């Protein structure tokens, strides 16, 4: 599938099923490759399309160089030799300037750049430049204080913008929530709310939905009318793929007051014993919550 910074529900089927779906798009030179290589975090859903944040939160400037790669850190000195290890990524896809990395990366390094846009969701972007390779930095265990905990260095905590719900879907989301039984989930203790809601949504999908690369709007045209929101089609047909499951899940969580984000990237790399790198293919592209 590659990567596209504009996420439109329904765009995945033809890409995934294309003749290039087995093409290798990322090589991650690490025997401990991450399960998820995150590209972008989306903020607002409007009528079948996810939109990126309108503005980055701050600019990162080169703190030092690794040979001819400028290193951009989420905080000063977090990627020093005694606190983080670099992981090299080779890419054959158009990444639209996004520097794919795991959740807890604390820095990135790229060539021919003097600044990088940084988003509080721990996403890095360098204009619209196509990147063929880059490094990301993973924190090392912190000695007697224990292993690194995601969020210690970067700010990966969702803010209030990740509570936005597309107003025309509010009533529909309330109906879905009631059918799923989300309205019966206890609110206390508050620390368990995100887990309980996420588990209830996932369990409902497992019991009542089927995974399918095709979401057939024609089956429900009489019921839903012309050009219905893709989520209404997904709910009516009880079938779809990752984009649909993730989108409805995120909006249901937000409607319940739980901050949630729609994320795209690549998931579940192929790892072979003895090979120094892991690979992600086009059909490893994924969307998740």
């Amino acid at each position: 599938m590659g990567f596209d910074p504009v996420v439109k529900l329904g765009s995945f089927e033809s890409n995934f099923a294309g003749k290039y779906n087995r093409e290798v798009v990322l090589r991650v030179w690490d025997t401990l490759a991450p399960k998820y290589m995150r590209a972008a975090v989306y903020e607002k859903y409007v009528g079948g399309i996810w939109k990126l944040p309108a503005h980055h939160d701050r600019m990162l400037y080169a703190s030092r160089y690794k040979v001819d790669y400028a290193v951009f850190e989420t905080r000063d000195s977090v990627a020093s030799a005694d606190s983080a290890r670099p992981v090299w990524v080779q890419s054959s896809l158009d990444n639209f300037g996004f520097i794919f990395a795991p959740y807890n990366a604390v820095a990135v390094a790229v060539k021919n750049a003097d600044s990088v846009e940084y988003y509080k969701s721990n996403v890095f972007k360098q204009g619209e430049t196509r990147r063929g390779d880059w490094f990301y930095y993973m924190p090392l265990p912190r000695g007697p204080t224990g292993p690194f905990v995601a969020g210690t260095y970067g700010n990966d905590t969702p803010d209030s913008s990740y509570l936005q719900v597309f107003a025309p879907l509010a009533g529909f989301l309330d109906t879905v929530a009631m059918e799923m039984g989300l309205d019966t989930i206890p609110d206390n203790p508050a620390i368990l709310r995100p887990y309980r809601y996420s588990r209830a949504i996932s369990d409902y999908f497992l019991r009542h939905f089927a995974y399918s690369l095709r979401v057939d709007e024609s089956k429900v045209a009489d019921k839903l009318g012309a050009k219905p929101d893709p989520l209404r089609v997904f709910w009516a047909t009880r079938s779809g793929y990752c984009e649909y499951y993730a989108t409805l899940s995120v909006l249901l969580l937000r409607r319940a007051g739980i901050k949630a984000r729609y994320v795209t990237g690549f998931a579940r790399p192929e790892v072979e014993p003895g090979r120094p790198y892991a690979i992600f293919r086009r059909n490893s592209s994924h969307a998740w919550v």
Side-chain angles (χ1 to χ4, degrees):
M1 177 181 175
F3 171 72
D4 186 337
V6 177
V7 174
K8 180 178 181 181
L9 266 63
S11 64
F12 184 72
E13 177 193 346
S14 59
N15 289 315
F16 186 90
K19 63 180 180 179
Y20 300 112
N21 68 341
R22 294 288 296 166
E23 179 184 5
V24 175
V25 291
L26 294 175
R27 282 184 172 86
V28 180
W29 289 80
D30 191 357
T31 55
L32 301 173
K35 182 177 180 181
Y36 295 100
M37 283 287 282
R38 183 168 57 165
V41 174
Y42 295 80
E43 186 175 276
K44 183 185 297 185
Y45 175 85
V46 179
I49 297 176
W50 276 102
K51 298 187 176 183
L52 294 164
H55 304 286
H56 57 271
D57 294 291
R58 62 188 173 103
M59 297 297 294
L60 302 180
Y61 298 94
S63 56
R64 59 188 176 88
Y65 281 81
K66 177 182 174 64
V67 191
D68 53 350
Y69 290 78
V71 179
F72 302 93
E73 302 175 284
T74 59
R75 201 180 70 191
D76 291 345
S77 303
V78 299
S80 60
D82 60 350
S83 63
R85 61 182 178 87
V87 177
W88 185 36
V89 180
Q90 292 175 296
S91 172
S92 64
L93 77 161
D94 189 346
N95 60 334
F96 294 87
F98 285 91
I99 303 168
F100 302 178
Y103 278 86
N104 53 345
V106 295
V108 296
V110 296
K111 292 181 181 178
N112 303 320
D114 57 8
S115 62
V116 166
E117 297 171 3
Y118 179 72
Y119 297 82
K120 286 189 293 186
S121 50
N122 219 36
V123 167
F124 305 86
K125 188 175 187 296
Q126 202 270 308
E128 293 299 321
T129 303
R130 179 171 180 166
R131 288 285 168 194
D133 71 335
W134 58 85
F135 283 88
Y136 63 80
Y137 285 79
M138 292 298 288
L140 296 173
R142 304 181 70 191
T145 60
F148 173 84
V149 177
T152 302
Y153 291 119
N155 179 7
D156 198 28
T157 303
D159 59 29
S160 59
S161 62
Y162 295 103
L163 283 173
Q164 297 180 76
V165 172
F166 185 41
L169 286 181
F172 164 73
L173 292 171
D174 290 341
T175 299
V176 171
M178 290 184 64
E179 185 165 335
M180 285 187 170
L182 303 186
D183 56 325
T184 65
I185 297 176
D187 284 340
N188 291 307
I191 194 171
L192 293 180
R193 287 188 78 237
Y195 170 79
R196 286 170 173 166
Y197 274 76
S198 299
R199 175 54 57 191
I201 294 168
S202 177
D203 288 347
Y204 189 92
F205 283 147
L206 287 171
R207 291 195 309 270
H208 300 285
F209 279 65
Y211 185 89
S212 172
L213 286 174
R214 179 168 175 75
V215 180
D216 192 351
E217 184 177 323
S218 64
K219 292 182 177 179
V220 293
D222 292 342
K223 178 180 178 182
L224 299 180
K227 296 183 179 180
D229 189 285
L231 287 183
R232 295 181 184 273
V233 178
F234 172 58
W235 182 252
T237 59
R238 295 295 203 264
S239 66
Y241 43 87
C242 59
E243 291 180 348
Y244 290 86
Y245 289 99
T247 296
L248 185 54
S249 298
V250 166
L251 296 182
L252 285 169
L253 290 169
R254 291 181 176 187
R255 187 67 175 159
I258 299 169
K259 297 172 185 177
R261 298 178 297 203
Y262 180 84
V263 184
T264 62
F266 291 84
R268 303 177 186 88
E270 295 179 19
V271 180
E272 292 184 8
R275 186 172 63 187
Y277 58 83
I279 60 174
F280 292 85
R281 302 183 188 273
R282 284 187 181 274
N283 60 6
S284 301
S285 59
H286 193 40
W288 61 94
V289 182

